[in-house]
Amino acid sequence: MNPKVDEFILNANRWQPEIKALRAILLDCQLQEELKWRQPCYTFQGANLAIIASFKSHCALSFLKGTLLQDANQLLVSPGENSQSVRYLSFTNVAEIRELEATLKSYVFEAIEIEKAGIKVVKTKSEHVRYCEELQVKLAEDSIFSKAFEALTPGRKRGYTLFFESAKQTKTRESRIEKYRHRILMGKGINDCVCGLSKRMPNCDGSHKFA
C-alpha cells in the first residue's frame, strides 16, 4: 500500500468506499501501487495496467490495454471514439464492485499475462495521429474533457495530439494537456484566437488575447 494513495483517498471528496474496494481488489492481485497522473495507478513489472479515477457521477477503473482483454460480457467502455487502447468500467456503489470482483480479478490476471507475453496494442492506420498515453488517461478520467476533445474538428484534434506527443517527458505531456484543457473545453484549436480566427491568419491583428 502506497502512502501517497492513502493520502489521495483521505482527500477524495467522493467515492472513498468505492476507491477502497477497487484498491483492495487490485492489491490482492499483487500489483504495485503508485500515484501517477494524480490518480492511483497499478503496475506489473513497471508496466501501467490499471488506474482508479473519481468523477462527479461515478468512480472508474480503467485498463490501459483494455482493448486486448477478452471482455466476454462486454462490460468495458471506450473513453472516446479514437481510443485504441484504454477501456474502463464505472461504478456508483460498493455493491456493484463486490458483484464484479471475480470478473475484475480475471481482467487483471489477463492483463498481467498480456504484459508477460509482451503483447502491444496494434494501432490502426488512419488520418488520426495516435493519442499519447497521457491523453488517453485524461480522456478516460475526465468525461467532460473527453466529450469536448472528441467534438473538435479533425484538424484541431490533430494539432493537439501532435503537440502533446512531441514532448519527450511524461510530465511535460501532462502539463501541456492541463494547460490547454480550457481551450479544448471552449472548442478552440491550438492556433485559434478568441476572435475565432487562427493566429496565423492575416485578418487577426494579434491584439486579441489567446485563451
Side-chain angles (χ1 to χ4, degrees):
M1 298 175 69
N2 192 310
K4 292 182 179 180
V5 176
D6 290 331
E7 184 178 355
F8 171 87
I9 296 174
L10 183 64
N11 294 326
N13 294 325
R14 54 177 65 88
W15 311 116
Q16 284 189 5
E18 289 73 22
I19 294 172
K20 289 179 180 178
L22 289 172
R23 180 193 199 190
I25 291 172
L26 294 167
L27 289 177
D28 196 39
C29 295
Q30 305 301 308
L31 295 180
Q32 180 72 31
E33 183 177 64
E34 302 179 37
L35 193 69
K36 295 185 177 182
W37 303 291
R38 296 182 293 278
Q39 305 287 353
C41 180
Y42 297 84
T43 66
F44 174 77
Q45 295 182 352
N48 300 322
L49 258 65
I51 288 178
I52 298 174
S54 175
F55 307 101
K56 272 188 177 181
S57 60
H58 65 274
C59 176
L61 175 63
S62 298
F63 289 92
L64 299 188
K65 289 186 178 180
T67 53
L68 298 180
L69 300 178
Q70 294 184 25
D71 190 26
N73 296 322
Q74 297 185 334
L75 301 174
L76 297 172
V77 178
S78 172
E81 63 181 46
N82 290 310
S83 177
Q84 299 186 45
S85 183
V86 176
R87 293 293 183 270
Y88 75 95
L89 301 94
S90 61
F91 304 96
T92 56
N93 58 70
V94 173
E96 293 174 338
I97 297 172
R98 297 298 183 209
E99 184 179 352
L100 287 176
E101 181 172 350
T103 300
L104 295 179
K105 285 185 175 180
S106 71
Y107 285 177
V108 172
F109 292 136
E110 185 180 355
I112 289 174
E113 293 304 316
I114 287 171
E115 290 303 327
K116 286 181 178 179
I119 302 174
K120 298 184 181 298
V121 176
V122 178
K123 305 293 178 69
T124 58
K125 294 182 179 180
S126 69
E127 63 178 1
H128 303 290
V129 295
R130 102 170 175 79
Y131 289 7
C132 63
E133 185 173 285
E134 293 77 11
L135 178 57
Q136 292 194 48
V137 169
K138 186 65 176 177
L139 293 171
E141 70 179 22
D142 188 338
S143 59
I144 295 176
F145 175 79
S146 177
K147 289 178 182 179
F149 190 84
E150 296 300 342
L152 294 173
T153 63
R156 287 189 172 103
K157 281 193 283 191
R158 182 177 178 81
Y160 280 120
T161 51
L162 286 173
F163 178 63
F164 298 153
E165 178 71 18
S166 65
K168 295 181 179 179
Q169 297 185 354
T170 293
K171 288 184 178 181
T172 306
R173 290 192 289 270
E174 290 175 356
S175 65
R176 286 184 178 183
I177 293 170
E178 188 61 29
K179 178 180 178 181
Y180 284 87
R181 181 180 184 276
H182 71 293
R183 289 178 64 89
I184 292 170
L185 293 179
M186 292 171 63
K188 303 244 177 233
I190 197 169
N191 292 316
D192 290 344
C193 180
V194 293
C195 68
L197 298 173
S198 167
K199 64 184 179 182
R200 296 196 184 104
M201 296 180 67
N203 290 337
C204 178
D205 61 13
S207 63
H208 303 93
K209 180 180 178 182
F210 287 84

